[in-house]
């Protein structure tokens, strides 16, 4: 839905569309009994009294369990037997639903009708059960066999005049083995068009860290979190984005660590928590603090904040030589003196104005940093989905380098990844800009001649589909049309394709916004057994701290007609490459065969089959952790980027999109957002109370929101509710995917090519199209 009634998320259906909405500030601990009650409701809703609890005891369990399909936070290695969270349980039970979206369902509903349903109701129909083909004559999906589906893909691919007319999209839940096969198929076919969700999320992190330390991944592991004396959590809503982080934050507080949360909104995870598996704390309602300091910069003010902390730290070194680590800087870095000069030239007035944070607070944060001998700085999309996300991550790296907080226990950079295997996707070859060394190894090991030209990322793929340059789109998981920016433009682009193929577990919007021909190919879920000729198979995943381990499903698949992602990829590849010498069926029969090939191609995967079966798996070597910096200079590099003035002009606001607590990426579990006190409302915008007053708005007034693109075009949503919230003046926030419509396709970072989901220039005014009658009913 691209606007409309706040009490009804879309035409047709909604999870709570007849109930009133409300919002009040949330003052309870994160997790705790609120999470426990939520989990109880979820388990009751699944009607799985045996398999549901069994899954909870199996999820994230070393050696015998399956990996949580939610976030990429590492699994505990300290003997914790219930390493789960509320959101993980939602993901798993959502997948385990007894409901089925089968041929009878599709026979009863046209695509045009389903397009009027909201996204919750689409997924709530249950698990997909067999391959389906869109029939334009009836406007319905009809069942076909797997053989017919693969033939349709093969015919479409072989009819292309150029391999670059195809795009191969990956969401972050695809395991390492199918990921490797997927990129092998694309490159044997002849293209590097491998867009992925990372193009919209952490591309800035990878590019910044590669430039700074020669590696696109963080250097810390979970053990480092247990030894850090200070932890900065930047642009992260931990309670919703990585709930198991709460355990690490609570443990850090108990041992005396300083925990600083830096975010425009003060989130519940920054205050306190009751970790549900800590029985005594639950019984006595005794929360543990998860933060010692909250700082609220303006949106896109983080770079100036980090430079202010660095400036204060450098100034302190004039009287306290130990404020910076000169030995580390001299031995392992380059560009320090130029950075010192840059900090000296930057005035405090400029830093305060751009960051929205006072000099006093920046100096206080610098004091925390100077007193800590081991500091971790973690960050998420609040940093990366900005115009200058790369420069901001580079500034974080500068700050870490000043005190030698790399290659030291309890210290280092730690990007918080979202989807459970998004980092593994990139490791295993999903990269539209592959390195020559990787392609050389792939060619030697697999006997193919991979293309050397860079392919298309997510934004470029959408633009290419829109103009007809890409005509076949294949999506491995996710809900692409809702995750992408500029919703209307993306819809038009998808409908312009000759063929769209979606490999999925449940019905979603991307099945209804499709090409002239369209296929839905249903796959087994991560909780389900994957049986092939060689027996029950396991796939591996890589968490956000580079640990690789196996995941084994434990439940019977939702339907006998489902296939694994490996089998589906291999079937499409064989059909589209009639002269292939790649042994696709050999790989399907036993995934050990895939891992053997991966061991030949991927750095750090040597002896893969043995190492991944060891206790807790293995960690991919991080050279920068060992003070080996694979940069051109061989040293860690200070950056010297100028500050960018992103303070909005008078009358404008900077808007950032975000998730609610009761959603995971584009999957909406309800219209509630418990930690922000919202009930039954998603079409809202959080605003500073002063900004609301200046616009003559009171709480829950209808507003219209207009975004302004760099090219002068505008996009609008109507009839949203304004809610006063603790957010800096000049800033606003609302939920994705609804507000993705405001993000112009051409407004992406020149540094990372990421869409600016958290850096939108908007105007918010009292609605001219919506009003409320005395009975409280919405009227257009």
């Amino acid at each position: 839905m691209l606007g409309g009634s706040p009490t009804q998320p879309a035409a047709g259906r909604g999870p709570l569309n007849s109930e009133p909405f409300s919002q009040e500030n949330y003052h309870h601990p994160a997790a705790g009994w609120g999470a426990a009650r939520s989990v109880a409701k979820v388990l009751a809703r699944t009607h799985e009294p045996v398999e549901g609890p069994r899954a909870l005891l199996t999820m994230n369990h070393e050696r015998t369990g399956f990996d949580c399909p939610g976030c990429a936070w590492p699994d505990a290695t300290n003997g914790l037997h219930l390493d789960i969270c509320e959101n993980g349980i939602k993901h798993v039970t959502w997948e385990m639903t007894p409901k089925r979206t089968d041929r009878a369902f599709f026979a009863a509903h046209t695509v045009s009708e389903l397009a009027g349903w909201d996204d919750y109701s689409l997924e709530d129909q249950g698990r997909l059960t067999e391959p389906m083909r869109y029939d334009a004559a009836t406007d319905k999906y009809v069942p076909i066999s797997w053989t017919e589906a693969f033939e349709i893909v093969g015919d479409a691919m072989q009819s292309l005049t150029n391999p670059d007319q195809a795009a191969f999209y990956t969401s972050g839940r695809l395991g390492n083995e199918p990921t490797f096969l997927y990129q092998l198929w694309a490159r044997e076919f002849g293209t590097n068009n491998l867009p992925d969700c990372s193009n919209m999320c952490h591309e800035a992190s990878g590019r910044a860290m590669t430039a700074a330390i020669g590696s696109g991944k963080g250097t810390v592991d979970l053990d480092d979190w247990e030894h850090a004396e200070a932890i900065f959590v930047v642009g992260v809503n931990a309670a919703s984005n990585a709930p198991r982080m709460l355990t690490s934050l609570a443990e850090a507080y108990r041992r005396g660590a300083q925990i600083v949360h830096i975010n425009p909104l003060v989130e519940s995870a920054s205050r306190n928590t009751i970790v549900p598996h800590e029985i005594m704390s639950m019984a006595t309602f005794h929360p543990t603090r998860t933060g010692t300091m909250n700082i609220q910069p303006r949106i896109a003010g983080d770079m100036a904040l980090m430079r202010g902390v660095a400036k204060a730290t450098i100034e302190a070194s004039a009287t306290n030589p130990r404020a910076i680590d000169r030995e580390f800087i001299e031995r392992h870095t380059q560009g320090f003196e130029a950075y010192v000069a840059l900090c000296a030239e930057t005035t405090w007035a400029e830093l305060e104005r751009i960051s929205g944070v006072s000099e006093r607070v920046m100096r206080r944060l610098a004091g925390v940093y100077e007193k800590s001998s081991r500091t971790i700085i973690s960050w998420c999309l609040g940093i990366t989905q900005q115009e200058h996300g790369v420069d901001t991550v580079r500034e974080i790296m500068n700050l870490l380098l000043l005190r030698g907080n790399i290659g030291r226990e309890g210290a280092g950079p730690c990007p918080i990844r979202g989807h459970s295997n998004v980092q593994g996707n990139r490791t295993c070859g999903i990269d539209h800009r592959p390195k020559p060394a990787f392609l050389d190894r792939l060619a030697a090991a697999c006997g193919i001649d991979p293309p050397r030209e860079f392919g298309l990322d997510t934004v470029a793929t959408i633009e290419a589909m829109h103009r007809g340059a890409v005509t076949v789109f294949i999506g491995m998981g996710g809900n692409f049309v809702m995750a992408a920016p500029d919703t209307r433009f993306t819809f038009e682009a998808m409908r312009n394709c000759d063929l769209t193929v979606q490999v999925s577990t449940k019905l979603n919007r991307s099945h209804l916004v499709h090409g002239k021909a369209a296929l839905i190919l249903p796959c087994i879920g991560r909780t389900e057994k994957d049986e092939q000729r060689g027996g029950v198979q396991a796939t591996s995943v890589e968490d956000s701290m580079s640990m690789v381990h196996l995941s084994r499903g434990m439940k019977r698949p939702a339907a006998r007609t489902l296939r694994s992602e490996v089998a589906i990829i291999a079937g499409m590849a064989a059909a589209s490459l009639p002269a292939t010498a790649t042994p696709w069926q050999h790989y399907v029969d036993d995934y050990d065969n895939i891992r053997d090939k991966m061991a030949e191609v991927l750095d750090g995967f040597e002896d893969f089959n043995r190492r991944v079966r060891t206790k807790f798996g293995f960690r991919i070597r991080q050279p920068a952790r060992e003070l080996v910096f694979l940069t051109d200079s061989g040293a860690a590099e200070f950056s010297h980027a100028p500050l960018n003035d992103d303070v909005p002009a008078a009358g404008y606001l900077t808007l950032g999109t975000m998730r609610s607590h009761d959603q995971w990426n584009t999957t909406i579990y309800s219209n509630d957002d418990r930690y922000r006190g919202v009930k039954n409302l998603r079409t809202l915008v959080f605003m500073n109370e002063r900004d609301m007053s200046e616009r003559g708005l009171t709480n829950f007034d209808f507003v219209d929101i207009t975004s302004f693109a760099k090219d002068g075009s505008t996009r609008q949503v109507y009839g949203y509710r304004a809610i006063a919230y603790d957010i800096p003046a000049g800033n606003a926030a609302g939920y994705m995917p609804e507000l993705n419509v405001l993000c112009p396709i051409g407004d992406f970072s020149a540094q990372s090519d990421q869409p600016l989901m958290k850096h939108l220039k908007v105007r918010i005014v009292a609605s001219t199209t919506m009003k409320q009658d005395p009975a409280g009913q919405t009227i257009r």
Side-chain angles (χ1 to χ4, degrees):
M1 181 182 177
L2 308 179
S5 165
T7 58
Q8 185 170 316
R13 296 177 175 232
L16 296 169
N17 60 11
S18 63
E19 296 185 14
F21 59 78
S22 64
Q23 191 277 329
E24 58 183 27
N25 291 336
Y26 188 85
H27 299 294
H28 305 289
W33 285 108
R37 285 190 291 269
S38 176
V39 167
K41 291 178 182 178
V42 167
L43 289 175
R45 187 174 63 194
T46 64
H47 304 293
E48 289 280 4
V50 175
E51 292 294 347
R54 180 184 169 216
L56 305 190
L57 296 173
T58 308
M59 183 165 62
N60 298 329
H61 198 280
E62 183 266 323
R63 288 191 179 176
T64 60
F66 62 89
D67 190 70
C68 174
C71 78
W73 188 256
D75 296 344
T77 59
N78 58 1
L80 182 64
H81 294 293
L82 204 61
D83 188 22
I84 57 177
C85 71
E86 174 190 356
N87 281 2
I89 294 168
K90 290 176 184 174
H91 307 326
V92 169
T93 54
W94 194 243
E95 182 177 288
M96 291 175 60
T97 175
K99 299 179 182 179
R100 298 291 179 263
T101 309
D102 55 17
R103 61 174 61 190
F105 172 86
F106 285 109
H109 303 286
T110 65
V111 168
S112 296
E113 177 200 344
L114 293 173
W117 291 21
D118 67 90
D119 294 280
Y120 171 91
S121 297
L122 292 174
E123 292 203 31
D124 191 48
Q125 300 312 302
R127 291 289 299 279
L128 297 162
T129 61
E130 61 184 318
M132 306 298 292
R133 175 185 62 82
Y134 177 68
D135 178 52
T138 61
D139 190 31
K140 293 180 179 180
Y141 275 99
V142 297
I144 58 173
S145 69
W146 281 105
T147 298
E148 291 172 315
F150 293 152
E151 287 175 351
I152 290 172
V153 174
D155 290 344
M157 300 286 279
Q158 291 178 56
S159 70
L160 300 179
T161 58
N162 186 322
D164 289 330
Q165 291 175 293
F168 299 74
Y169 175 76
T170 315
S171 81
R173 71 179 299 277
L174 191 65
N176 288 330
E177 291 76 11
T179 293
F180 183 80
L181 283 197
Y182 195 50
Q183 64 82 34
L184 177 60
W185 172 29
R187 292 187 167 111
E188 183 172 351
F189 186 72
T191 185
N192 282 314
N193 288 349
L194 287 158
D196 71 330
C197 58
S198 186
N199 298 150
M200 297 184 281
C201 300
H202 266 291
E203 195 72 39
S205 297
R207 295 191 187 185
M209 289 190 295
T210 297
I213 60 175
S215 171
K217 300 179 182 181
T219 64
V220 308
D221 59 22
L222 204 54
D223 289 341
D224 288 318
W225 281 71
E226 297 177 2
H227 294 93
E229 295 178 3
I231 299 171
F232 296 177
V233 184
V234 191
V236 183
N237 177 15
S240 296
N241 296 358
R244 287 184 292 153
M245 186 199 295
L246 293 171
T247 302
S248 295
L249 294 178
E251 291 173 350
Y253 178 80
R254 291 190 191 108
R255 68 170 184 271
Q258 295 295 301
I259 306 167
V260 182
H261 293 263
I262 301 170
N263 202 46
L265 285 75
V266 176
E267 303 283 16
S268 61
S270 68
R271 294 187 288 263
N272 53 35
T273 186
I274 297 177
V275 180
H277 62 253
E278 295 178 349
I279 305 301
M280 288 304 297
S281 293
M282 288 285 285
T284 60
F285 199 77
H286 183 70
T288 301
R289 288 181 63 184
T290 50
T292 57
M293 185 178 184
N294 266 300
I295 298 176
Q296 292 176 268
R298 68 173 74 251
I299 293 174
D302 310 271
M303 181 181 176
L305 171 62
M306 292 297 157
R307 182 159 298 173
V309 176
K311 179 181 177 72
T313 302
I314 292 169
E315 289 177 355
S317 69
T319 56
N320 175 19
R322 300 183 66 180
I324 61 176
D325 190 337
R326 291 192 177 275
E327 181 180 358
F328 175 89
I329 290 169
E330 292 171 1
R331 285 188 175 187
H332 301 293
T333 73
Q334 182 167 285
F336 170 67
E337 296 300 335
Y339 182 65
V340 170
L342 183 63
C343 288
E345 294 166 3
T346 309
T347 67
W348 283 108
E350 182 182 13
L351 291 168
E352 287 185 318
R353 187 178 63 82
I354 295 176
S355 70
V357 178
S358 69
E359 176 184 350
R360 178 185 61 82
V361 171
M362 285 188 271
R363 288 190 180 278
R364 181 183 168 198
L365 179 56
V368 171
Y369 186 54
E370 292 161 28
K371 292 176 183 177
S372 168
S373 62
R374 296 187 293 273
T375 300
I376 288 173
I377 303 182
S378 64
W379 68 91
C380 199
L381 306 191
I383 295 297
T384 61
Q385 289 182 330
Q386 303 176 11
E387 174 71 67
H388 308 290
V390 172
D391 284 345
T392 301
V393 176
R394 290 296 304 271
E395 203 67 30
I396 289 172
M397 300 304 295
N398 286 347
L399 188 58
L400 289 168
L401 293 176
L402 280 179
R403 289 185 50 76
N405 277 305
I406 291 181
R408 176 186 299 173
E409 183 182 58
C414 185
I416 305 301
R417 311 286 181 177
H419 245 319
S420 59
N421 197 43
V422 64
Q423 186 161 300
N425 291 163
R426 185 58 58 92
T427 299
C428 295
I430 301 299
D431 189 350
H432 66 286
R433 308 194 316 171
K435 293 180 174 59
F438 167 79
L439 295 177
D440 290 343
R441 292 192 299 271
L442 184 68
C446 298
I448 68 169
D449 184 17
R452 303 287 167 156
E453 301 81 11
F454 286 172
L456 303 177
D457 65 5
T458 295
V459 169
T461 293
I462 296 169
E463 293 176 323
M465 291 192 297
H466 200 273
R467 65 176 183 268
V470 166
T471 59
V472 174
F473 177 90
I474 300 168
M476 290 299 301
N479 186 358
F480 181 80
V481 300
M482 295 306 293
D486 208 337
T487 310
R488 289 190 178 93
F489 188 93
T490 298
F491 278 24
E492 293 169 359
M494 192 66 72
R495 289 172 173 146
N496 201 36
C497 290
D498 292 332
L499 173 67
T500 54
V501 181
Q502 302 288 348
V503 180
S504 310
T505 57
K506 303 182 85 173
L507 185 66
N508 65 47
R509 186 74 50 192
S510 293
H511 304 131
L512 310 179
V513 181
H514 54 72
K516 301 174 184 68
L519 295 173
I520 301 173
L521 303 183
C523 64
I524 64 173
R526 194 173 288 178
T527 63
E528 295 169 332
K529 288 184 179 179
D530 181 356
E531 297 195 51
Q532 305 296 341
R533 291 176 184 173
V536 177
Q537 303 298 312
T539 57
S540 63
V541 295
E542 177 187 348
D543 64 35
S544 64
M545 299 184 197
S546 302
M547 284 294 297
V548 179
H549 58 274
L550 287 176
S551 175
R552 298 175 177 85
M554 39 69 73
K555 193 175 184 293
R556 185 175 65 242
R560 292 182 178 180
T561 44
L562 299 182
R563 294 196 179 185
S564 72
E565 291 155 322
V566 166
I568 295 170
I569 292 167
M572 291 191 290
S576 62
L577 298 165
T580 183
T582 300
W584 298 104
Q585 188 58 50
H586 177 66
Y587 291 144
V588 175
D589 290 344
D590 190 334
Y591 298 175
D592 279 355
N593 299 327
I594 308 174
R595 284 186 279 270
D596 284 340
K597 192 59 63 175
M598 294 169 72
E600 297 181 48
V601 177
L602 304 176
D603 278 339
F605 281 70
E606 299 80 8
D607 199 14
F608 188 11
N609 268 310
R610 182 191 64 80
R611 293 167 64 211
V612 80
R613 286 176 166 86
T614 59
K615 188 174 184 179
F616 305 122
F618 65 93
R619 190 167 196 268
I620 300 172
R621 177 176 174 262
Q622 293 289 70
R625 183 180 175 88
E626 302 165 13
L627 301 181
V628 176
F629 301 109
L630 303 180
T631 60
D632 290 342
S633 67
E637 298 276 355
F638 279 93
S639 65
H640 312 109
L643 288 180
N644 294 281
D645 190 345
D646 291 314
V647 179
Y652 294 92
L653 302 174
T654 302
L655 182 144
T657 65
M658 60 189 183
R659 297 190 304 225
S660 73
H661 180 64
D662 217 15
Q663 101 181 67
W664 183 252
N665 294 338
T666 58
T667 297
I668 312 298
Y669 299 116
S670 82
N671 286 343
D672 297 343
D673 187 358
R674 186 172 78 248
Y675 291 143
R676 299 187 184 104
V678 176
K679 292 184 178 180
N680 200 38
L681 183 62
R682 288 192 58 83
T683 50
L684 60 78
V685 58
F686 294 111
M687 298 178 65
N688 177 275
E689 194 168 10
R690 189 181 77 191
D691 290 332
M692 290 178 62
S693 178
E694 289 175 354
R695 289 159 177 79
L697 300 172
T698 59
N699 229 20
F700 298 114
D701 278 356
F702 287 116
V703 294
D704 299 337
I705 309 172
T706 303
S707 68
F708 296 83
K710 296 174 183 177
D711 64 6
S713 62
T714 62
R715 288 150 182 80
Q716 289 182 306
V717 292
Y718 305 96
Y720 274 57
R721 295 279 187 175
I723 293 180
Y725 207 78
D726 186 4
I727 186 172
N731 293 255
Y735 299 134
M736 61 81 68
E738 290 88 342
L739 289 180
N740 287 358
V741 68
L742 294 177
C743 185
I745 192 68
D747 282 16
F748 52 87
S749 169
Q751 301 178 346
S752 67
D753 301 317
Q754 283 188 232
L756 305 181
M757 306 289 204
K758 290 182 171 55
H759 198 172
L760 301 175
K761 178 183 177 182
V762 303
R763 296 187 85 163
I764 300 178
V765 299
S767 181
T768 59
T769 61
M770 306 284 286
K771 63 181 181 179
Q772 188 166 303
D773 73 5
Q777 299 298 312
T778 300
I779 302 176
R780 186 175 286 279

